[in-house]
């Protein structure tokens, strides 16, 4: 009977490969063991009563608590170096200088970021959307004009994320952003509200300073189509989408991040030109075939803005 050829170790799945026995290589695999761990938050007897997974969680948490101060110090040094690099880029003319608050004027436009989707996001998506709020605040401070920006229904995990990871938010300028636990319906008249949603059949051609425009604060990877449109219709408020399709062709559904949406609005307020706002903010990879397509209506709409 013919023997089957020997299976190479590299052909086996990772879970079935044996760890190398060479001491120098094996040392790379060696990590802390719960069997040798000495817990500080409980007695060893209490620790031994836990399941193996619970023991590992306790061990990881205590190890993190011990190293968090060191980690925070490294992050502080990294941020300081980043600020120095940015100053050098500004001095060399490679980046725009930050505007001082007194150099900005109020645009008169009002925007809301609706954070009422906490239960529909995974933890990593909560982290992402909160980071996008930080970028929105930064964008509102950098342009020649700033708008009234409100973040509503900031509660549960998103609020916890702000309180634990974005600890400088209490010092944010209240004229550039306002954080609320309440719903936007409690802050503004219903007839003033317009919900931006990619599923709306209505197209916004220009912004109205008498309106309050709402951006859905969610990272959903297209898992919840019509989510924001359904909410707007249930509340009986107006809804619309940006005229993205009139100026560029995107390779996928016209969904962009929260900060990109706000940055587009900021750029449009500055220039009055949708095309330049889209081109400046939307990443090139989202364009169909990496080439933006301009519709025949572009010149007519730009002429109407100039009148």
């Amino acid at each position: 009977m013919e023997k089957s050829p020997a299976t190479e170790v590299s052909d086996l799945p990772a879970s079935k490969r044996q760890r190398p026995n060479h001491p120098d290589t094996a040392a790379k695999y060696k990590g802390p063991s719960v069997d040798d761990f000495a817990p500080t938050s409980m007695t060893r007897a209490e620790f031994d009563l836990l399941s193996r997974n619970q023991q590992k969680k306790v061990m990881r948490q205590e190890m993190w608590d011990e190293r968090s101060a060191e980690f925070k110090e490294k992050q502080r040094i990294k941020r300081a170096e980043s600020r120095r690099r940015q100053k050098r880029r500004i001095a060399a003319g490679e980046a725009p200088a930050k505007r001082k608050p007194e150099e900005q004027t109020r645009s008169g436009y009002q925007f809301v970021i609706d954070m009422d989707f906490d239960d529909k996001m995974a933890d990593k998506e909560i982290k992402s959307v909160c980071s996008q709020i930080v970028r929105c605040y930064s964008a509102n401070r950098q342009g020649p004009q700033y708008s009234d920006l409100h973040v509503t229904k900031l509660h549960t995990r998103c609020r916890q994320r702000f309180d634990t990871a974005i600890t400088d938010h209490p010092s944010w300028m209240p004229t550039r952003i306002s954080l609320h636990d309440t719903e936007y319906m409690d802050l503004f008249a219903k007839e003033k509200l317009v919900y931006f949603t990619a599923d709306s059949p209505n197209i916004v051609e220009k912004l109205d300073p008498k309106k309050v425009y709402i951006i859905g604060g969610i990272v959903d990877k297209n898992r919840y189509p019509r989510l924001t449109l359904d909410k707007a219709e249930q509340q009986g408020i107006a809804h619309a989408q940006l005229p993205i399709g009139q100026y560029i062709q995107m390779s996928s559904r016209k969904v962009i991040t929260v900060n990109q949406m706000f940055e587009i609005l900021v750029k449009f307020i500055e220039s009055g030109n949708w095309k330049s706002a889209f081109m400046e903010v939307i990443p090139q990879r989202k364009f169909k075939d990496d080439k933006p397509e301009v519709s025949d209506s572009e010149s007519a709409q730009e002429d109407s803005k100039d009148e």
Side-chain angles (χ1 to χ4, degrees):
M1 184 175 178
E2 187 177 346
K3 293 183 179 180
S4 59
T7 304
E8 294 288 339
V9 174
S10 59
D11 295 333
L12 293 172
S15 59
K16 294 187 177 181
R17 295 177 196 165
Q18 290 186 348
R19 292 182 176 178
N21 295 321
H22 190 280
D24 293 338
T25 309
K28 296 180 182 179
Y29 292 92
K30 189 175 181 180
S33 169
V34 293
D35 297 325
D36 304 324
F37 182 67
T40 58
S41 59
M42 61 182 71
T43 64
R44 181 68 207 194
E46 293 172 330
F47 184 76
D48 290 337
L49 293 175
L50 300 176
S51 69
R52 197 74 172 179
N53 283 339
Q54 289 174 326
Q55 288 176 343
K56 289 179 180 178
K57 287 182 180 179
V58 171
M59 181 179 69
R60 284 195 295 266
Q61 182 61 48
E62 291 194 8
M63 291 176 64
W64 164 250
D65 291 341
E66 289 179 7
R67 299 174 183 174
S68 60
E70 178 184 354
F71 173 78
K72 289 178 181 178
E73 177 62 16
K74 288 182 178 178
Q75 291 296 101
R76 186 193 67 78
I77 295 172
K78 191 180 295 185
R79 287 194 297 269
E81 178 57 30
S82 177
R83 286 194 294 269
R84 284 193 290 269
R85 285 197 304 269
Q86 182 68 3
K87 287 181 180 179
R88 289 195 293 268
R89 291 182 64 213
I90 292 172
E94 298 174 358
K98 286 188 176 181
R99 295 180 185 273
K100 296 180 180 179
E102 59 270 19
E103 295 176 348
Q104 286 187 299
T105 57
R106 184 172 177 268
S107 71
Y109 293 98
Q110 302 180 85
F111 300 103
V112 167
I113 299 175
D114 176 21
M115 301 293 286
D116 193 23
F117 306 103
D118 195 289
D119 60 330
K120 292 179 172 57
M121 290 184 282
D123 287 342
K124 64 180 181 180
E125 293 167 340
I126 293 289
K127 180 179 178 181
S128 177
V129 76
C130 290
S131 297
Q132 292 175 27
I133 300 299
V134 176
R135 294 191 184 100
C136 290
Y137 172 64
S138 177
N140 206 26
R141 295 178 59 196
Q142 292 176 358
Q145 299 180 80
Y146 68 89
S147 299
D148 297 349
L149 178 60
H150 301 267
V151 179
T152 60
K153 271 305 185 75
L154 186 67
H155 54 179
T156 56
R157 288 184 296 159
C158 284
R159 170 59 76 174
Q160 291 169 5
R161 176 71 186 171
F162 265 76
D163 292 341
T164 57
I166 311 174
T167 52
D168 63 338
H169 78 268
S171 63
W172 286 0
M173 298 178 65
T175 55
R176 305 305 190 266
I177 193 168
S178 299
L179 307 181
H180 308 273
D181 296 327
T182 54
E183 176 74 281
Y184 47 78
M185 298 283 280
D186 300 324
L187 301 174
F188 305 101
K190 183 177 177 179
E191 60 272 13
K192 290 185 176 182
L193 299 172
V194 179
Y195 212 120
F196 278 132
T197 168
D199 298 302
S200 176
N202 308 316
I203 306 294
V204 166
E205 300 292 351
K206 59 177 67 176
L207 298 178
D208 184 350
K210 295 180 181 179
K211 298 292 185 180
V212 179
Y213 296 96
I214 307 167
I215 302 169
I218 182 171
V219 175
D220 67 345
K221 309 296 183 185
N222 288 332
R223 292 196 308 271
Y224 303 104
R226 289 184 55 91
L227 178 67
T228 50
L229 177 61
D230 288 343
K231 180 175 183 180
E233 290 179 339
Q234 289 168 7
Q235 293 179 328
I237 62 177
H239 50 78
Q241 63 169 292
L242 297 184
I244 295 177
Q246 296 179 14
Y247 294 91
I248 62 174
Q249 295 298 316
M250 295 181 67
S251 57
S252 59
R253 188 166 170 263
K254 297 190 291 292
V255 177
I256 52 182
T257 64
V258 174
N259 61 290
Q260 288 170 356
M261 182 73 173
F262 182 71
E263 288 168 21
I264 286 171
L265 296 168
V266 168
K267 296 298 182 184
F268 176 73
I269 291 171
E270 291 179 16
S271 66
N273 187 313
W274 283 118
K275 180 191 171 184
S276 64
F278 295 143
M279 295 290 291
E280 192 168 346
V281 176
I282 298 177
Q284 189 75 16
R285 67 180 183 276
K286 291 194 175 185
F287 295 149
K288 189 174 183 180
D289 298 326
D290 291 332
K291 292 181 181 179
E293 295 182 7
V294 183
S295 71
D296 294 335
S297 63
E298 175 197 335
S299 58
Q301 291 195 19
E302 289 183 349
D303 290 340
S304 66
K305 292 184 180 72
D306 294 337
E307 291 177 355

Short mmCIF file of all heavy atoms in Angstrom, two decimals, residues 205-206 247 268 271-274 296-307:
data_model
loop_
_atom_site.label_atom_id
_atom_site.label_comp_id
_atom_site.label_asym_id
_atom_site.label_seq_id
_atom_site.Cartn_x
_atom_site.Cartn_y
_atom_site.Cartn_z
N GLU A 205 -30.81 71.83 -2.80
CA GLU A 205 -30.03 72.60 -3.77
C GLU A 205 -29.23 73.71 -3.08
O GLU A 205 -28.13 74.05 -3.48
CB GLU A 205 -30.95 73.22 -4.83
CG GLU A 205 -31.74 72.19 -5.63
CD GLU A 205 -30.86 71.35 -6.54
OE1 GLU A 205 -29.67 71.66 -6.68
OE2 GLU A 205 -31.37 70.36 -7.10
N LYS A 206 -29.81 74.28 -2.04
CA LYS A 206 -29.13 75.32 -1.26
C LYS A 206 -29.56 75.19 0.19
O LYS A 206 -30.62 74.62 0.50
CB LYS A 206 -29.43 76.71 -1.80
CG LYS A 206 -30.90 77.07 -1.82
CD LYS A 206 -31.12 78.48 -2.31
CE LYS A 206 -30.74 78.62 -3.77
NZ LYS A 206 -31.03 79.97 -4.29
N TYR A 247 -23.35 65.65 -9.28
CA TYR A 247 -22.00 66.17 -9.50
C TYR A 247 -20.94 65.09 -9.65
O TYR A 247 -19.98 65.26 -10.40
CB TYR A 247 -21.61 67.11 -8.35
CG TYR A 247 -22.46 68.35 -8.32
CD1 TYR A 247 -23.63 68.39 -7.57
CD2 TYR A 247 -22.12 69.47 -9.06
CE1 TYR A 247 -24.43 69.52 -7.55
CE2 TYR A 247 -22.90 70.62 -9.05
CZ TYR A 247 -24.06 70.64 -8.29
OH TYR A 247 -24.85 71.75 -8.29
N PHE A 268 -19.27 73.89 1.63
CA PHE A 268 -20.28 74.53 0.78
C PHE A 268 -20.63 75.92 1.29
O PHE A 268 -20.82 76.85 0.50
CB PHE A 268 -21.54 73.67 0.71
CG PHE A 268 -22.65 74.31 -0.07
CD1 PHE A 268 -22.59 74.38 -1.45
CD2 PHE A 268 -23.74 74.87 0.57
CE1 PHE A 268 -23.60 74.99 -2.19
CE2 PHE A 268 -24.76 75.48 -0.15
CZ PHE A 268 -24.69 75.55 -1.53
N SER A 271 -17.83 78.17 0.04
CA SER A 271 -17.67 78.41 -1.40
C SER A 271 -18.97 78.59 -2.16
O SER A 271 -18.99 79.18 -3.25
CB SER A 271 -16.90 77.25 -2.03
OG SER A 271 -17.65 76.05 -1.95
N GLY A 272 -20.08 78.04 -1.64
CA GLY A 272 -21.34 78.06 -2.38
C GLY A 272 -21.32 77.12 -3.58
O GLY A 272 -22.17 77.22 -4.46
N ASN A 273 -20.37 76.19 -3.61
CA ASN A 273 -20.19 75.30 -4.76
C ASN A 273 -20.20 73.86 -4.28
O ASN A 273 -19.27 73.41 -3.59
CB ASN A 273 -18.86 75.63 -5.46
CG ASN A 273 -18.67 74.87 -6.75
OD1 ASN A 273 -18.88 73.66 -6.81
ND2 ASN A 273 -18.27 75.58 -7.80
N TRP A 274 -21.25 73.12 -4.65
CA TRP A 274 -21.37 71.73 -4.20
C TRP A 274 -20.24 70.87 -4.76
O TRP A 274 -19.67 70.04 -4.05
CB TRP A 274 -22.71 71.13 -4.62
CG TRP A 274 -23.90 71.56 -3.81
CD1 TRP A 274 -24.99 72.24 -4.25
CD2 TRP A 274 -24.11 71.33 -2.40
NE1 TRP A 274 -25.88 72.44 -3.21
CE2 TRP A 274 -25.36 71.90 -2.06
CE3 TRP A 274 -23.37 70.72 -1.39
CZ2 TRP A 274 -25.88 71.86 -0.78
CZ3 TRP A 274 -23.88 70.67 -0.10
CH2 TRP A 274 -25.12 71.24 0.20
N ASP A 296 -24.70 67.44 -16.57
CA ASP A 296 -24.93 68.60 -17.43
C ASP A 296 -25.57 69.75 -16.67
O ASP A 296 -25.56 70.89 -17.12
CB ASP A 296 -25.85 68.21 -18.60
CG ASP A 296 -25.16 67.22 -19.53
OD1 ASP A 296 -23.91 67.21 -19.54
OD2 ASP A 296 -25.87 66.46 -20.23
N SER A 297 -26.16 69.43 -15.49
CA SER A 297 -26.86 70.48 -14.74
C SER A 297 -25.92 71.33 -13.90
O SER A 297 -26.34 72.30 -13.29
CB SER A 297 -27.91 69.85 -13.81
OG SER A 297 -27.27 69.03 -12.86
N GLU A 298 -24.63 70.95 -13.87
CA GLU A 298 -23.69 71.64 -12.97
C GLU A 298 -23.62 73.13 -13.27
O GLU A 298 -23.78 73.97 -12.37
CB GLU A 298 -22.30 71.03 -13.10
CG GLU A 298 -21.26 71.78 -12.28
CD GLU A 298 -19.87 71.44 -12.73
OE1 GLU A 298 -19.66 70.35 -13.28
OE2 GLU A 298 -18.98 72.30 -12.52
N SER A 299 -23.35 73.49 -14.52
CA SER A 299 -23.15 74.90 -14.84
C SER A 299 -24.41 75.71 -14.59
O SER A 299 -24.35 76.84 -14.11
CB SER A 299 -22.73 75.04 -16.31
OG SER A 299 -23.71 74.47 -17.16
N ALA A 300 -25.57 75.12 -14.85
CA ALA A 300 -26.82 75.85 -14.63
C ALA A 300 -27.03 76.12 -13.15
O ALA A 300 -27.46 77.20 -12.77
CB ALA A 300 -28.00 75.04 -15.19
N GLN A 301 -26.71 75.11 -12.31
CA GLN A 301 -26.91 75.29 -10.86
C GLN A 301 -25.89 76.29 -10.31
O GLN A 301 -26.23 77.09 -9.43
CB GLN A 301 -26.76 73.96 -10.14
CG GLN A 301 -27.91 73.01 -10.47
CD GLN A 301 -27.96 71.85 -9.50
OE1 GLN A 301 -27.38 71.93 -8.43
NE2 GLN A 301 -28.66 70.81 -9.87
N GLU A 302 -24.65 76.26 -10.82
CA GLU A 302 -23.67 77.22 -10.32
C GLU A 302 -24.06 78.64 -10.73
O GLU A 302 -23.87 79.59 -9.96
CB GLU A 302 -22.27 76.85 -10.86
CG GLU A 302 -21.72 75.60 -10.22
CD GLU A 302 -20.31 75.29 -10.70
OE1 GLU A 302 -19.88 75.94 -11.68
OE2 GLU A 302 -19.68 74.40 -10.12
N ASP A 303 -24.64 78.78 -11.93
CA ASP A 303 -25.08 80.10 -12.37
C ASP A 303 -26.20 80.61 -11.48
O ASP A 303 -26.26 81.79 -11.15
CB ASP A 303 -25.57 80.05 -13.83
CG ASP A 303 -24.41 79.81 -14.80
OD1 ASP A 303 -23.25 80.07 -14.39
OD2 ASP A 303 -24.68 79.41 -15.95
N SER A 304 -27.09 79.69 -11.07
CA SER A 304 -28.22 80.13 -10.23
C SER A 304 -27.73 80.58 -8.87
O SER A 304 -28.34 81.45 -8.23
CB SER A 304 -29.22 78.99 -10.07
OG SER A 304 -28.64 77.92 -9.34
N LYS A 305 -26.60 79.99 -8.38
CA LYS A 305 -26.06 80.41 -7.08
C LYS A 305 -25.44 81.79 -7.17
O LYS A 305 -25.40 82.53 -6.20
CB LYS A 305 -25.02 79.40 -6.59
CG LYS A 305 -25.60 78.06 -6.22
CD LYS A 305 -24.52 77.16 -5.63
CE LYS A 305 -25.06 75.82 -5.25
NZ LYS A 305 -25.38 75.00 -6.41
N ASP A 306 -24.91 82.12 -8.34
CA ASP A 306 -24.27 83.42 -8.49
C ASP A 306 -25.27 84.55 -8.61
O ASP A 306 -24.93 85.72 -8.39
CB ASP A 306 -23.37 83.41 -9.74
CG ASP A 306 -22.19 82.46 -9.58
OD1 ASP A 306 -21.84 82.18 -8.42
OD2 ASP A 306 -21.68 81.97 -10.61
N GLU A 307 -26.50 84.23 -8.97
CA GLU A 307 -27.49 85.28 -9.20
C GLU A 307 -28.01 85.84 -7.88
O GLU A 307 -28.09 85.18 -6.89
CB GLU A 307 -28.66 84.71 -10.02
CG GLU A 307 -28.24 84.37 -11.46
CD GLU A 307 -29.38 83.74 -12.24
OE1 GLU A 307 -30.43 83.49 -11.65
OE2 GLU A 307 -29.20 83.51 -13.44
#
